[in-house]
Amino acid sequence: KDFIPIQFPFDKESKVRDILYAKGEAGNDTLHFFVNHWKSRAGGREETEQKRSYSARVLKAQIDSILNVNADAKIIAMGDFNDEPTNKSLSEVLGAKNPEAGDKEATLYNLMYPKDKQGKGTYSYKYEWFMLDNFIVSAACLEENGYHTGHENVHIFDPPWVLYDDSKAGMKVPNRTYGGDNYFGGISDHLAIYGVFKLSKN
């Protein structure tokens, strides 16, 4: 495993989390994982967009370094990106495309795209859902060769015990742990996501 630091050249005083990289063997496959938690939207989405786009460039450079050696490498980048699939950092800078759009030339696909299009999300703000947690894979992960997955195998973890009824919102929202100085005793203000990989019999 390794830690990839994020240091903004335009804001050297800002501190954000490293990207965690881990590599493991599964059968005959080598899987590369990048776990992310990018700059939050606190202070405004547009005002903080530059920092998430910078993180996307750092992540892309790491992914490209693997794909340049092995174009068929199986790579998974997931976590709290604090941006949605259609936002610039993910769709343009990182280049993670919609797996249902028919783009056969893309190298990365965001498997949360279809759920985002359905209006689902992992974070609730002002009575609206946002898909801030994403599951991005390289093209090789979608091929039925060895371990593989698809958007239908990626899910939002939302059992009743991680939600509560928000009477103001008129909907169930994530039961957060803290809110300001108040302790709510919940799990998180984000819903978790997870993906299932299947092993091809070929």
Side-chain angles (χ1 to χ4, degrees), residues 110-121:
N110 189 341
L111 303 189
M112 303 309 290
Y113 237 117
K115 287 181 174 59
D116 180 57
K117 294 290 186 183
Q118 295 168 10
K120 297 180 180 179

Side-chain angles (χ1 to χ4, degrees), residues 31-51:
L31 302 179
H32 303 265
F33 293 90
F34 292 92
V35 182
N36 301 262
H37 193 162
W38 291 359
K39 172 65 180 175
S40 76
R41 295 182 170 193
R45 182 181 67 81
E46 294 182 357
E47 289 78 2
T48 56
E49 181 182 62
Q50 183 183 19
K51 293 182 177 179

